[in-house]
Amino acid sequence: MPTLPDFTGDQRSELLRLGLCKEQVEELRRALVAVRSYVSPPAANNDTADLLREIEQLASDLARKLRALSNVADSAHHKAGSMIEEGYWTWRPEDDGATVPNLLCPRLDALTIAASEAGSSLPKGKAVRPTAGNPAPIRSIERALVRGWSKAHDPVVSNRTDPEGGDEVTLSAMVEEAKRDSLGKPYPRKLLPSVSVTSAFHQIVGICYAAGGYTAFPKRALQEYVANRNRTRKEIIALWPDCGASEE
């Protein structure tokens, strides 16, 4: 079973020295997945498309075969279906589903669609460019820090981390989050995103990128992330002037 990337002992010790709690360090391990995906040498679009098509076909074929176990009334399908039902629930008694096809086929259908849409989204006829300057991993790092702090201190700690609105958090949602008072321990100001080389956040980003296999510091990615975040924060404060006080 695949495991999350991890920090070296020295990197983990440095993160704790910077004031992170254990929960934040563990959440940052998930952020390393995003870091690695952006700093690794880019894959050719054709190779990626081939792999996605293969996954799409395999998921579709498996769903079709599983449905046939209960829909085809011959002895072979009946016997195979009975043996799979008995074996599967022996190994996975905690799963929730009336039958194996009932449990797995909707998930396989979703996987088929996801692989198909991912393949369709790949740019056609364009050269693949390095993505180490993309600010997305920085966003993952900040979210991991906030999630870890929330787990350790209070699940109600406000999460205002998306600098662009975009696909996950709209501006209106950020405003609502900003209006909510935290009932837990205040989030440390030193962990707020900063381009200052002496800031804890700057050092945390450097450790995460090093753990992800990047030999340089992602200066451009951090600068873009902080600039985007600050622009959005100004928009929030313009709508709700009291929201910005906690970060001043």
Side-chain angles (χ1 to χ4, degrees):
M1 180 178 295
T3 58
L4 289 173
D6 205 352
F7 298 101
T8 65
D10 288 344
Q11 289 169 338
R12 186 176 287 264
S13 296
E14 183 64 13
L15 290 171
L16 295 174
R17 186 193 68 78
L18 289 169
L20 302 193
C21 57
K22 291 185 294 184
E23 290 82 356
Q24 287 176 303
V25 175
E26 288 308 305
E27 287 294 328
L28 282 175
R29 291 181 62 195
R30 301 183 186 281
L32 291 183
V33 177
V35 172
R36 284 187 175 181
S37 69
Y38 279 87
V39 303
S40 299
N45 285 332
N46 288 342
D47 293 341
T48 304
D50 288 344
L51 180 57
L52 289 168
R53 278 194 294 269
E54 182 180 2
I55 293 172
E56 176 188 355
Q57 189 63 56
L58 289 170
S60 176
D61 288 346
L62 180 55
R64 177 175 52 80
K65 288 183 178 296
L66 286 176
R67 287 190 172 101
L69 294 178
S70 56
N71 294 334
V72 178
D74 63 51
S75 57
H77 281 80
H78 177 75
K79 183 177 180 179
S82 298
M83 295 176 71
I84 286 176
E85 292 292 338
E86 181 179 357
Y88 184 92
W89 298 112
T90 299
W91 285 101
R92 299 286 302 184
E94 73 280 6
D95 283 358
D96 184 18
T99 65
V100 172
N102 176 266
L103 172 72
L104 296 182
C105 287
R107 291 165 172 79
L108 289 168
D109 292 341
L111 177 57
T112 300
I113 295 171
S116 176
E117 291 181 345
S120 298
S121 70
L122 289 171
K124 305 296 190 296
K126 293 184 179 180
V128 179
R129 297 178 179 178
T131 56
N134 192 301
I138 310 294
R139 179 174 56 200
S140 297
I141 289 170
E142 185 185 10
R143 285 180 170 165
L145 292 173
V146 174
R147 282 195 305 269
W149 183 265
S150 177
K151 286 183 177 180
H153 300 287
D154 195 311
V156 190
V157 172
S158 182
N159 183 356
R160 292 172 285 160
T161 58
D162 194 304
E164 302 162 299
D167 56 345
E168 294 186 35
V169 182
T170 64
L171 178 59
S172 61
M174 291 179 67
V175 170
E176 290 303 312
E177 288 286 358
K179 290 167 59 181
R180 183 193 307 168
D181 291 330
S182 170
L183 302 180
K185 189 174 180 181
Y187 189 72
R189 293 181 67 252
K190 69 178 183 179
L191 298 183
L192 295 174
S194 171
V195 296
S196 170
V197 296
T198 60
S199 71
F201 189 85
H202 189 284
Q203 296 175 63
I204 291 166
V205 167
I207 293 170
C208 288
Y209 270 75
Y214 195 56
T215 57
F217 185 86
K219 181 178 179 180
R220 184 162 63 88
L222 179 58
Q223 288 174 336
E224 182 176 344
Y225 178 77
V226 172
N228 289 340
R229 187 180 187 277
N230 288 342
R231 279 195 298 270
T232 302
R233 182 168 171 269
K234 289 178 181 178
E235 294 177 20
I236 294 175
I237 295 173
L239 293 173
W240 301 95
D242 293 337
C243 294
S246 62
E247 290 193 12
E248 295 297 339

